[in-house]
Amino acid sequence: KTLMGTMVGVSDRAETIQIQIGPASWIVKYDDNTKVKGISELEKIPKEKEIAITLTERDGILYAAYVAVKQPATLPDEKRLRLMNSQGS
């Protein structure tokens, strides 16, 4: 199962990630096995950043197996629009 929403926060002390999905808020545990993509470490994910958490369950507790941070969209130069001023430059 994968949760997709916005980052609320990370608690190092409780080893949890909080994610907002519409009106609902989920709290998911993380550990040394949690993989992170798109940023160097969980604590550096900005609040309200879009993230996806792939879950695994151990002993009835939800753990983040994988956390992906949504990256900004990029377009190749040939697909970008170029604006020119009225002098044609």
Side-chain angles (χ1 to χ4, degrees):
K1 181 173 187 169
T2 300
L3 301 175
M4 295 177 70
T6 55
M7 177 69 148
V8 174
V10 174
S11 171
D12 288 332
R13 178 185 251 178
E15 293 186 328
T16 59
I17 306 165
Q18 187 173 357
I19 182 174
Q20 187 77 35
I21 305 168
S25 184
W26 288 65
I27 296 176
V28 179
K29 299 273 294 168
Y30 69 88
D31 60 16
D32 292 337
N33 296 319
T34 301
K35 307 275 188 256
V36 181
K37 180 181 177 187
I39 203 158
S40 59
E41 53 191 70
L42 288 174
E43 294 79 9
K44 292 186 178 182
I45 301 173
K47 288 185 178 184
E48 299 189 15
K49 184 74 175 165
E50 290 182 59
I51 62 170
I53 301 175
T54 302
L55 302 173
T56 187
E57 188 175 337
R58 284 185 255 143
D59 301 321
I61 299 171
L62 292 177
Y63 280 87
Y66 186 79
V67 178
V69 178
K70 185 174 181 181
Q71 300 300 307
T74 58
L75 289 174
D77 284 340
E78 64 271 7
K79 298 221 179 210
R80 293 183 187 191
L81 293 177
R82 302 218 189 280
L83 299 177
M84 298 172 69
N85 66 22
S86 59
Q87 280 79 33
S89 57

